[in-house]
Amino acid sequence: MQNRPLGRSPLSIAPLVFGGNVFGWSVDEAHAFQLLDAFVDGGGNMVDTADVYSAWVPGNAGGESETIIGKWLKQSGKRDRVLLATKVAKWAEHPGLSPVNIRAAVEGSLQRLQTDRIDLYFAHEDDASVPMHETLGEFARLIEEGKVRAIGASNFRADRVADALALSKQHNLPRYECLQPEYNLVARAGYEVELEPLVREEGLGVVCYYALASGFLSGKYRSAADLAKSSARGGAAKRYLNPHGLRVLDVLDAVAAAHRATSAQVALAWLIAHPGITAPIASATSVAQLAEIMGALSLTLRADEIAALDQASGM
């Protein structure tokens, strides 16, 4: 597979990113090691996590995903084959984007990940209480020290990203090279209307989350009864179980049948083919499931199939 440049950063990534949010939640350490080995050996090279993953699980405190990834890196010896993306701002232990907090958070992430550098460090959410130049100034120091290679912004409004880019240019500070928004076939408007014009104008990278809409686009959830199939995902998928969502599934089914593929593979292939999307983020809880989603990398959709999906999922 051919890697893609990530904005104007020195990083280039495979067109599918593994989502480490499942580690320490629905995937234990042993299975995480298997998944990470299979992903990298299959040609993937970026793993996305956050310091807050997976603090929402009863008994967890946060940092579990990074800790598991760090143990795998040490055991596998594959650090130089992997680009690590993690985040700061949303964990109660290290909230917000003040320089002091960023400094403490990055040191904690580096320790848990058992590495000397974070390849892509995201501001996990905006923090309007901190002057933007202070946040970017601390990111600049981390880049100068070699602890971070590039920075990104997740869950930011377009106007705030534009302000940050202008400030970076004006004061010769590192710029956000990558955005991480929600984007998929049943949730298009937030990205396409607000962020996409800025992405194209500024040449930003985009790695989008909820690529499979909490599993809904796998076709697993087609009725209220199906939601009970997954205690982790069923509740989140419920919001897509409506006439619009079911119309999208119908077209996914037809395109998948034509390619002898799965609905999940088609949904990911649609994102991979979308101009401006560097890579969708997708997670898996088994090696078989990972093999399925990685099948999207070899699936090329025809223009008429993309048009049919565009129409069915239209905003």
Side-chain angles (χ1 to χ4, degrees):
M1 75 188 73
Q2 186 169 356
N3 288 353
R4 298 172 170 186
L6 192 70
R8 299 174 189 165
S9 79
L11 310 179
S12 61
I13 66 172
L16 184 68
V17 173
F18 191 93
N21 61 312
V22 292
F23 299 154
W25 176 23
S26 51
V27 175
D28 62 20
E29 182 178 300
H31 287 99
F33 284 19
Q34 294 174 11
L35 289 165
L36 288 164
D37 280 331
F39 179 71
V40 174
D41 293 345
N45 73 332
M46 177 168 275
V47 178
D48 176 84
T49 186
D51 57 3
V52 72
Y53 299 164
S54 47
W56 58 86
V57 178
N60 283 4
E64 288 81 11
S65 176
E66 290 181 330
T67 298
I68 288 172
I69 293 168
K71 290 180 179 179
W72 170 76
L73 287 172
K74 184 176 182 180
Q75 176 179 294
S76 69
K78 294 178 180 177
R79 178 63 183 96
D80 291 338
R81 295 174 61 188
V82 178
L83 297 174
L84 295 175
T86 192
K87 311 178 190 74
V88 57
K90 292 186 76 170
W91 188 18
E93 188 77 14
H94 294 297
L97 294 175
S98 70
V100 170
N101 183 68
I102 291 171
R103 175 64 58 167
V106 80
E107 296 295 350
S109 289
L110 288 169
Q111 184 175 12
R112 287 186 293 275
L113 289 165
Q114 300 192 50
T115 187
D116 61 351
R117 67 198 184 279
I118 292 166
D119 299 291
L120 179 59
Y121 200 37
F122 280 102
H124 205 165
E125 63 183 1
D126 196 5
D127 182 0
S129 72
V130 179
M132 201 173 280
H133 68 87
E134 292 185 9
T135 296
L136 292 171
E138 186 60 29
F139 283 144
R141 285 184 283 275
L142 291 172
I143 290 172
E144 289 168 5
E145 294 166 17
K147 294 180 178 181
V148 169
R149 296 179 66 195
I151 57 172
S154 179
N155 302 303
F156 274 51
R157 297 196 318 262
D159 62 326
R160 292 285 288 175
V161 176
D163 288 347
L165 293 173
L167 190 66
S168 295
K169 185 176 182 180
Q170 181 181 356
H171 296 283
N172 196 30
L173 292 166
R175 73 170 200 158
Y176 291 127
E177 292 292 352
C178 181
L179 303 185
Q180 188 174 138
E182 176 181 2
Y183 187 51
N184 57 59
L185 270 168
V186 287
R188 293 174 55 186
Y191 170 70
E192 290 183 14
V193 173
E194 183 180 352
L195 291 169
E196 188 169 19
L198 182 64
V199 165
R200 296 197 182 209
E201 180 182 351
E202 296 287 348
L204 302 177
V206 178
V207 293
C208 51
Y209 67 86
Y210 286 168
L212 293 176
S214 299
F216 177 78
L217 294 171
S218 70
K220 182 178 179 180
Y221 309 104
R222 296 174 186 265
S223 68
D226 290 337
L227 298 175
K229 291 179 180 178
S230 172
S231 58
R233 301 286 190 178
K238 183 179 181 180
R239 59 181 164 150
Y240 306 114
L241 195 58
N242 53 46
H244 174 251
L246 293 174
R247 184 168 65 249
V248 172
L249 290 185
D250 285 343
V251 179
L252 277 176
D253 288 344
V255 175
H259 288 271
R260 295 184 180 179
T262 67
S263 295
Q265 290 170 338
V266 174
L268 292 171
W270 179 84
L271 285 168
I272 291 168
H274 191 87
I277 298 296
T278 313
I281 302 169
S283 58
T285 57
S286 70
V287 172
Q289 190 179 65
L290 176 62
E292 178 193 352
I293 64 174
M294 291 191 76
L297 294 167
S298 58
L299 176 59
T300 301
L301 301 179
R302 301 192 312 266
D304 63 305
E305 293 170 330
I306 292 173
L309 289 163
D310 287 347
Q311 183 176 4
S313 63
M315 299 175 289

